[in-house]
Amino acid sequence: MHLTSFPFKRAGTFSALSMTSPLRALLPYAIQMEDTNRPKRKSLEVPRDHNTFIKPLKQSFVKNPRMMPMTRVMLALLSGWAGNGKALETTTGIIAKHLGRCRRQVFRYLKDAMEEGYLSYTRTKDRIGRYTGLRIWLNFPAIRYSNTRKKLKTPEKLAMTLKSETNNKLIYNRNTDEEMWDRLAQFASLTGFDMPTEPPS
């Protein structure tokens, strides 16, 4: 092979390995041939990356051995869909499409999650009475991590204020309010306390 067939930069350095990382990032989207010995899931389409994410999950939720693994995945997916914590309206077909499972299996996941207390759901109907989907309420305190602790004040704020920040000019209002003094005298007489009838000079 001739040397000119290798990719070189202008400075003459070898640059073939510089494209390794971008090419490996596209590996999940490569078209692969069918193989009868491989699991069926290997022939499913890889989801596109749209820079969407899920808020941090609790380790107690991730490590719960009582749930099926796909139930955990479904709850994480629903947690990302719910966003600000309101009730989520969707269908079993939509959940099954995103998980790569059938609708019957999605019902098993919902039942499993409801038994563990991670969600509750009801069926939604239209005006005629036909079932149109599901309304799901997630137990977010059991799934998501939320930093509800109050931020501690810094030692500078807890310490005594500096001398330059202290106002030493205390100005009192020496003018007496006769109406307020009359009201105080009436209140003192009702409670049984003796109070001078004239305000102090």
Side-chain angles (χ1 to χ4, degrees):
M1 183 181 293
H2 198 268
L3 293 177
T4 56
S5 60
F6 288 96
F8 287 93
K9 292 183 179 180
R10 288 184 299 175
T13 58
F14 186 68
S15 62
L17 297 179
S18 63
M19 295 298 296
T20 302
S21 179
L23 290 177
R24 290 183 64 85
L26 298 175
L27 185 61
Y29 309 109
I31 300 176
Q32 300 177 358
M33 301 299 293
E34 292 289 339
D35 189 358
T36 56
N37 297 326
R38 302 178 67 187
K40 186 179 179 181
R41 67 176 183 274
K42 295 295 184 179
S43 62
L44 298 176
E45 183 180 358
V46 178
R48 295 292 177 180
D49 185 10
H50 298 291
N51 292 327
T52 55
F53 63 94
I54 300 172
K55 293 184 177 181
L57 304 176
K58 288 188 174 181
Q59 287 196 13
S60 59
F61 162 72
V62 176
K63 295 188 295 186
N64 188 356
R66 296 167 57 91
M67 286 191 302
M68 291 185 285
M70 287 304 297
T71 303
R72 191 178 298 108
V73 175
M74 182 197 69
L75 287 172
L77 184 68
L78 295 177
S79 175
W81 287 355
N84 54 3
K86 295 182 179 180
L88 177 65
E89 293 189 3
T90 182
T91 62
T92 55
I94 293 176
I95 300 175
K97 179 181 178 181
H98 286 273
L99 295 178
R101 297 295 186 270
C102 62
R103 296 173 60 186
R104 186 181 297 273
Q105 192 66 25
V106 170
F107 270 114
R108 295 192 185 100
Y109 300 152
L110 291 171
K111 183 179 178 181
D112 185 24
M114 187 171 60
E115 290 175 354
E116 296 300 321
Y118 288 110
L119 60 80
S120 60
Y121 70 93
T122 57
R123 293 183 178 182
T124 57
K125 299 180 182 180
D126 58 4
R127 295 181 179 180
I128 305 177
R130 297 174 299 185
Y131 291 112
T132 57
L134 299 173
R135 182 178 288 110
I136 302 174
W137 292 271
L138 294 175
N139 185 6
F140 288 103
I143 299 174
R144 287 182 183 173
Y145 168 75
S146 59
N147 189 8
T148 57
R149 298 178 181 177
K150 295 183 179 179
K151 295 183 178 179
L152 297 177
K153 294 184 178 180
T154 57
E156 291 80 8
K157 294 182 179 179
L158 293 175
M160 185 172 53
T161 57
L162 299 177
K163 186 175 181 180
S164 61
E165 298 176 356
T166 305
N167 185 10
N168 294 323
K169 296 180 180 179
L170 301 177
I171 302 175
Y172 297 97
N173 186 8
R174 297 184 179 275
N175 297 327
T176 57
D177 190 351
E178 296 181 358
E179 183 178 357
M180 183 186 69
W181 191 261
D182 294 339
R183 293 292 180 88
L184 290 175
Q186 293 175 3
F187 178 76
S189 62
L190 291 175
T191 55
F193 290 97
D194 295 333
M195 188 173 179
T197 56
E198 296 181 358
S201 56

